[in-house]
């Protein structure tokens, strides 16, 4: 009988070890905290781009250029090819009235 008990105990031990589950895996690492982007800097100084006014006319293809409220000229496509960017020049037509 002791052999029967030993073999039963061995079968029981094998069955118990076969049914056991492996240890749980480590949980995934926590996501990195989200940091908001800093707000853009407040523009307190006067931007030089604010001094220029460019008025394109889609019907004629000309662009009237003003700087600090003064009419500088027009870009109409007749500028020399070597000018890059093209410079405004006075045209035969009068500039449109300025609301400034």
């Amino acid at each position: 009988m002791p052999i029967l008990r030993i073999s039963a105990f061995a079968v029981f031990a094998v069955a118990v070890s076969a049914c056991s589950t492996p240890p749980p895996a480590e949980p995934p690492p926590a996501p990195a905290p989200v940091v908001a982007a800093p707000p853009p800097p407040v523009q307190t100084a006067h931007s030089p781009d604010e001094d220029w006014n460019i008025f394109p006319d889609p019907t004629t293809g000309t662009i009237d250029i003003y700087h600090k409220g003064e009419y500088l000229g027009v870009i109409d496509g007749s500028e020399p090819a070597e000018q890059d960017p093209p410079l405004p020049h006075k045209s035969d037509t009068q500039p449109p009235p300025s609301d400034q």
Side-chain angles (χ1 to χ4, degrees):
M1 270 307 183
I3 295 180
L4 184 60
R5 286 185 189 171
I6 293 175
S7 45
F9 180 74
V11 170
F12 176 74
V14 169
V16 168
S17 65
C19 294
S20 67
T21 59
E26 290 186 25
V34 177
V35 178
V42 177
Q43 187 177 18
T44 56
H46 181 67
S47 173
D49 292 338
E50 293 175 3
D51 295 336
W52 291 91
N53 291 319
I54 301 173
F55 298 104
D57 184 359
T59 58
T60 62
T62 61
I63 302 170
D64 293 311
I65 309 293
Y66 290 85
H67 184 249
K68 295 184 179 179
E70 180 184 343
Y71 180 72
L72 293 182
V74 66
I75 297 175
D76 57 5
S78 65
E79 297 79 26
E82 61 271 358
Q83 278 187 1
D84 189 22
L87 301 174
H89 56 84
K90 303 296 180 189
S91 75
D92 299 334
T93 61
Q94 293 289 64
S98 176
D99 292 335
Q100 296 176 2

mmCIF file of all heavy atoms in Angstrom, residues 6 9 16 18 31 34 36 41 50 60 73-74 76 79 92:
data_model
loop_
_atom_site.group_PDB
_atom_site.id
_atom_site.type_symbol
_atom_site.label_atom_id
_atom_site.label_comp_id
_atom_site.label_asym_id
_atom_site.label_seq_id
_atom_site.Cartn_x
_atom_site.Cartn_y
_atom_site.Cartn_z
ATOM 1 N N ILE A 6 2.363 6.536 -2.427
ATOM 2 C CA ILE A 6 3.440 7.340 -2.999
ATOM 3 C C ILE A 6 3.109 7.705 -4.438
ATOM 4 O O ILE A 6 3.268 8.854 -4.864
ATOM 5 C CB ILE A 6 4.785 6.603 -2.897
ATOM 6 C CG1 ILE A 6 5.193 6.476 -1.430
ATOM 7 C CG2 ILE A 6 5.863 7.318 -3.698
ATOM 8 C CD1 ILE A 6 6.426 5.658 -1.214
ATOM 9 N N PHE A 9 0.349 10.239 -4.430
ATOM 10 C CA PHE A 9 0.881 11.542 -4.034
ATOM 11 C C PHE A 9 1.678 12.173 -5.181
ATOM 12 O O PHE A 9 1.598 13.371 -5.435
ATOM 13 C CB PHE A 9 1.746 11.395 -2.786
ATOM 14 C CG PHE A 9 2.312 12.701 -2.323
ATOM 15 C CD1 PHE A 9 1.515 13.642 -1.688
ATOM 16 C CD2 PHE A 9 3.646 13.020 -2.543
ATOM 17 C CE1 PHE A 9 2.015 14.843 -1.269
ATOM 18 C CE2 PHE A 9 4.158 14.220 -2.121
ATOM 19 C CZ PHE A 9 3.350 15.154 -1.480
ATOM 20 N N VAL A 16 -1.132 19.175 -9.484
ATOM 21 C CA VAL A 16 -1.188 20.493 -8.841
ATOM 22 C C VAL A 16 -0.182 21.441 -9.488
ATOM 23 O O VAL A 16 -0.485 22.598 -9.768
ATOM 24 C CB VAL A 16 -0.944 20.358 -7.319
ATOM 25 C CG1 VAL A 16 -0.701 21.716 -6.691
ATOM 26 C CG2 VAL A 16 -2.113 19.661 -6.662
ATOM 27 N N ALA A 18 0.982 21.284 -12.529
ATOM 28 C CA ALA A 18 0.576 21.546 -13.906
ATOM 29 C C ALA A 18 -0.567 22.557 -13.962
ATOM 30 O O ALA A 18 -0.691 23.306 -14.930
ATOM 31 C CB ALA A 18 0.175 20.264 -14.587
ATOM 32 N N PRO A 31 2.307 55.893 -18.067
ATOM 33 C CA PRO A 31 2.615 56.816 -19.155
ATOM 34 C C PRO A 31 3.282 58.083 -18.612
ATOM 35 O O PRO A 31 3.043 58.494 -17.479
ATOM 36 C CB PRO A 31 1.261 57.125 -19.783
ATOM 37 C CG PRO A 31 0.268 56.798 -18.732
ATOM 38 C CD PRO A 31 0.888 55.712 -17.891
ATOM 39 N N VAL A 34 1.851 64.403 -19.345
ATOM 40 C CA VAL A 34 1.729 65.329 -20.468
ATOM 41 C C VAL A 34 1.992 66.733 -19.955
ATOM 42 O O VAL A 34 1.372 67.182 -18.999
ATOM 43 C CB VAL A 34 0.326 65.236 -21.098
ATOM 44 C CG1 VAL A 34 0.180 66.248 -22.216
ATOM 45 C CG2 VAL A 34 0.076 63.837 -21.592
ATOM 46 N N ALA A 36 2.011 70.686 -20.934
ATOM 47 C CA ALA A 36 1.483 71.636 -21.900
ATOM 48 C C ALA A 36 2.610 72.530 -22.408
ATOM 49 O O ALA A 36 3.534 72.874 -21.680
ATOM 50 C CB ALA A 36 0.395 72.487 -21.262
ATOM 51 N N PRO A 41 5.296 83.935 -26.647
ATOM 52 C CA PRO A 41 5.678 85.167 -25.957
ATOM 53 C C PRO A 41 4.767 86.326 -26.354
ATOM 54 O O PRO A 41 4.313 86.416 -27.498
ATOM 55 C CB PRO A 41 7.113 85.413 -26.424
ATOM 56 C CG PRO A 41 7.238 84.654 -27.699
ATOM 57 C CD PRO A 41 6.306 83.489 -27.581
ATOM 58 N N GLU A 50 4.272 95.449 -39.365
ATOM 59 C CA GLU A 50 3.020 96.193 -39.240
ATOM 60 C C GLU A 50 3.059 97.500 -40.012
ATOM 61 O O GLU A 50 2.039 98.128 -40.229
ATOM 62 C CB GLU A 50 2.711 96.467 -37.771
ATOM 63 C CG GLU A 50 2.406 95.218 -36.985
ATOM 64 C CD GLU A 50 2.214 95.491 -35.515
ATOM 65 O OE1 GLU A 50 2.263 96.658 -35.104
ATOM 66 O OE2 GLU A 50 2.016 94.521 -34.775
ATOM 67 N N THR A 60 -6.697 93.010 -62.010
ATOM 68 C CA THR A 60 -5.650 93.539 -62.882
ATOM 69 C C THR A 60 -4.322 92.818 -62.696
ATOM 70 O O THR A 60 -3.448 92.921 -63.544
ATOM 71 C CB THR A 60 -5.422 95.039 -62.610
ATOM 72 O OG1 THR A 60 -4.982 95.203 -61.264
ATOM 73 C CG2 THR A 60 -6.683 95.836 -62.861
ATOM 74 N N GLY A 73 4.553 102.413 -54.594
ATOM 75 C CA GLY A 73 4.444 102.028 -55.990
ATOM 76 C C GLY A 73 3.646 100.759 -56.151
ATOM 77 O O GLY A 73 2.881 100.361 -55.275
ATOM 78 N N VAL A 74 3.853 100.144 -57.288
ATOM 79 C CA VAL A 74 3.082 98.968 -57.652
ATOM 80 C C VAL A 74 4.039 97.887 -58.157
ATOM 81 O O VAL A 74 5.116 98.182 -58.672
ATOM 82 C CB VAL A 74 2.027 99.336 -58.728
ATOM 83 C CG1 VAL A 74 2.690 99.739 -60.031
ATOM 84 C CG2 VAL A 74 1.054 98.210 -58.959
ATOM 85 N N ASP A 76 3.630 95.041 -60.878
ATOM 86 C CA ASP A 76 2.662 94.648 -61.898
ATOM 87 C C ASP A 76 3.184 93.603 -62.871
ATOM 88 O O ASP A 76 2.529 93.274 -63.843
ATOM 89 C CB ASP A 76 2.181 95.875 -62.667
ATOM 90 C CG ASP A 76 3.316 96.649 -63.321
ATOM 91 O OD1 ASP A 76 4.463 96.178 -63.263
ATOM 92 O OD2 ASP A 76 3.044 97.721 -63.874
ATOM 93 N N GLU A 79 8.531 94.272 -63.905
ATOM 94 C CA GLU A 79 9.836 94.459 -63.273
ATOM 95 C C GLU A 79 10.880 93.604 -63.998
ATOM 96 O O GLU A 79 10.547 92.573 -64.575
ATOM 97 C CB GLU A 79 9.782 94.054 -61.795
ATOM 98 C CG GLU A 79 8.859 94.888 -60.948
ATOM 99 C CD GLU A 79 7.406 94.489 -61.097
ATOM 100 O OE1 GLU A 79 7.108 93.349 -61.437
ATOM 101 O OE2 GLU A 79 6.562 95.365 -60.852
ATOM 102 N N ASP A 92 1.665 104.327 -64.124
ATOM 103 C CA ASP A 92 0.971 105.389 -64.830
ATOM 104 C C ASP A 92 -0.366 105.714 -64.196
ATOM 105 O O ASP A 92 -0.843 106.844 -64.292
ATOM 106 C CB ASP A 92 0.746 104.981 -66.303
ATOM 107 C CG ASP A 92 2.067 104.753 -67.002
ATOM 108 O OD1 ASP A 92 3.088 105.359 -66.571
ATOM 109 O OD2 ASP A 92 2.088 103.969 -67.982
#
